[in-house]
Amino acid sequence: MAISDLAGSSLAASSLVGSSPKFQAVLDEINMVAPVDSAVLVRGETGTGKEVVAQAIHDASPRRRNPFVAVNCAAIPATLIESELFGHERGAFTGALTPRMGRFQLADRGTLFLDEIGDLPLELQPKLLRALQEQRFERLGGNQTVQVNVRVIAATNQDLWGMVQERRFRADLYYRLNVFPITLPPLRERTADIPLLAAHFVRKFGQRLGKPVHHIPDEVMEALTSHDWPGNIRELQNFIERAVIMTTGTVLRPRLAELTPQPAATTGRTLADAERAHIVETLRETNGVVGGKRGAAARLGLPRTSLIARMQRLGLMSHSERPVDHGRTNVALPENAMGAFASAAGAGGF
Ligand SMILES: Nc1ncnc2c1ncn2[C@@H]1O[C@H](COP(=O)(O)OP(=O)(O)OP(=O)(O)O)[C@@H](O)[C@H]1O
Ligand SMILES: [Mg+2]
């Protein structure tokens, strides 16, 4: 396939590529939430584009001319996060020789992107909550209040709601951050975007590396589309970069052997995947009935409410989808749940 056939739709400002219905829904959400100041929580597996989506929201917002400041809560040692976020006064701690502005203040009138928010130490969460609610805080070692105007976008690949239930993340902060959740689908659930993304990356790395690669053979495209990309877009991007480096002519020649099938069924699956697959399978057997004597909860030996909580935690049911009946709850399984089941059962995962 010639890559010029794959122009696709992309949000010019942010270079987000994709045209599948699931990705279109994400673009719609970005466009809906960008103009307002509401907090956004971006969820998704590693490499699904959480950071680029955060940047796209900022770029499409009225704050676009002001700073976009990113803080990776997982990359900063716990002892330094407070000063990193809120700044410090001279002498606040050993080594604080000069006063320093925190990222919160640097993001004034712009957007603060709190990446890997699940790694924010519990003891810092109340201070962050207050800063978000009141838009003010004190620097470490200072007693003067700093007033800011900051929009917050947080991201996580962890099950934040599960962490709330395990008391590892504060519920009040969770609700404050989760005003507008955006969940990024893994690449294996939007395979229709793979040709577009592949072409986009071939073009990008072709230009960067000065290689006129114009063509992706059909068998390569098929292999790309059927691989399940556990590292999502980042993995695809790296794969294409390697392929462009190895290509000498105009036709992309990747090492397809690198796309080894993922281990099927049980090996290499997380406990959450196994749990999700088992719940989906049981729900299939009960035609989606959760409660009652013949419902999935009874079969799984769980109270109905516990099963519902688990389904919400595993993304099989949204939190707003709280059933109101007593006993018989019929759930419509989301498409991706079936996908998870199908691949878990080895019925086409690879
Ligand atoms: N829709 C997209 N179109 C084009 N490139 C994308 C898209 N989504 C993500 N990318 C690219 O994929 C890579 C990974 O994206 P990003 O860093 O935003 O992922 P992430 O979800 O933050 O990952 P992690 O959880 O590992 O931090 C980046 O190089 C980004 O530019
Ligand atoms: Mg990231």
Side-chain angles (χ1 to χ4, degrees):
M1 192 180 291
I3 64 171
S4 52
D5 298 340
L6 292 164
S9 72
S10 84
L11 217 65
S14 57
S15 71
L16 286 178
V17 177
S19 65
S20 64
K22 280 192 180 180
F23 192 70
Q24 279 302 327
V26 168
L27 293 182
D28 290 345
E29 287 170 342
I30 292 174
N31 288 327
M32 247 185 284
V33 81
V36 295
D37 273 342
S38 308
V40 178
L41 180 62
V42 189
R43 297 182 295 204
E45 291 177 10
T46 182
T48 46
K50 295 184 291 296
E51 180 149 9
V52 284
V53 163
Q55 179 79 57
I57 294 171
H58 173 77
D59 291 346
S61 81
R63 294 171 178 263
R64 71 179 74 88
R65 286 183 225 295
N66 301 320
F68 175 84
V69 177
V71 184
N72 186 334
C73 302
I76 304 170
T79 49
L80 294 183
I81 295 189
E82 183 173 5
S83 119
E84 199 61 44
L85 278 177
F86 302 107
H88 61 74
E89 299 296 348
R90 186 153 60 109
F93 50 87
T94 327
L97 301 177
T98 48
R100 183 155 176 247
M101 217 190 250
R103 308 268 181 112
F104 236 104
Q105 203 172 352
L106 290 171
D108 192 22
R109 301 192 304 129
T111 305
L112 180 65
F113 175 50
L114 297 172
D115 203 359
E116 315 279 7
I117 189 71
D119 285 311
L120 186 74
L122 250 182
E123 60 275 15
L124 256 186
Q125 295 180 10
K127 184 162 180 177
L128 175 61
L129 179 66
R130 176 177 168 245
L132 294 179
Q133 272 168 346
E134 299 174 15
Q135 297 275 316
R136 37 198 178 114
F137 53 87
E138 287 83 39
R139 289 183 182 179
L140 215 65
N143 43 25
Q144 219 181 325
T145 301
V146 181
Q147 183 79 45
V148 289
N149 173 350
V150 170
R151 192 234 185 123
V152 166
I153 302 176
T156 183
N157 57 19
Q158 302 192 59
D159 170 17
L160 218 50
W161 179 242
M163 290 179 68
V164 169
Q165 287 167 324
E166 290 162 9
R167 307 248 181 281
R168 289 191 292 133
F169 200 87
R170 289 182 63 112
D172 46 12
L173 181 59
Y174 172 82
Y175 289 118
R176 186 65 191 74
L177 294 170
N178 195 35
V179 175
F180 193 91
I182 295 183
T183 302
L184 301 183
L187 195 50
R188 63 184 172 280
E189 286 176 18
R190 50 183 188 105
T191 48
D193 289 336
I194 290 177
L196 284 182
L197 283 161
H200 168 76
F201 292 134
V202 166
R203 226 178 278 123
K204 172 172 155 183
F205 293 112
Q207 273 168 12
R208 193 175 290 176
L209 300 165
K211 296 206 179 188
V213 186
H214 297 304
H215 194 83
I216 304 176
D218 289 349
E219 71 273 16
V220 171
M221 206 58 110
E222 270 158 36
L224 296 180
T225 325
S226 53
H227 183 57
D228 84 345
W229 302 108
N232 294 294
I233 301 179
R234 182 180 296 109
E235 186 190 0
L236 174 64
Q237 176 172 265
N238 293 344
F239 180 85
I240 300 282
E241 181 172 6
R242 270 198 306 282
V244 172
I245 293 171
M246 288 185 298
T247 300
T248 45
T250 57
V251 181
L252 190 75
R253 298 275 179 221
R255 275 202 205 115
L256 290 180
E258 280 180 19
L259 299 179
T260 45
Q262 296 308 301
T266 49
T267 46
R269 257 199 304 154
T270 65
L271 201 55
D273 285 343
E275 188 183 359
R276 190 183 296 114
H278 190 54
I279 292 176
V280 169
E281 189 182 5
T282 310
L283 282 165
R284 275 197 170 169
E285 288 165 10
T286 66
N287 289 321
V289 176
V290 177
K293 264 195 223 147
R294 289 178 218 277
R299 284 196 189 206
L300 292 166
L302 286 175
R304 179 177 151 279
T305 46
S306 311
L307 177 56
I308 289 169
R310 270 175 205 244
M311 288 170 65
Q312 288 171 334
R313 178 161 55 77
L314 293 165
L316 294 173
M317 186 189 262
S318 74
H319 291 278
S320 55
E321 218 175 314
R322 218 170 269 280
V324 288
D325 68 335
H326 302 280
R328 286 183 70 86
T329 304
N330 244 305
V331 291
L333 286 173
E335 224 179 288
N336 60 351
M338 290 305 186
F341 170 66
S343 56
F350 228 85

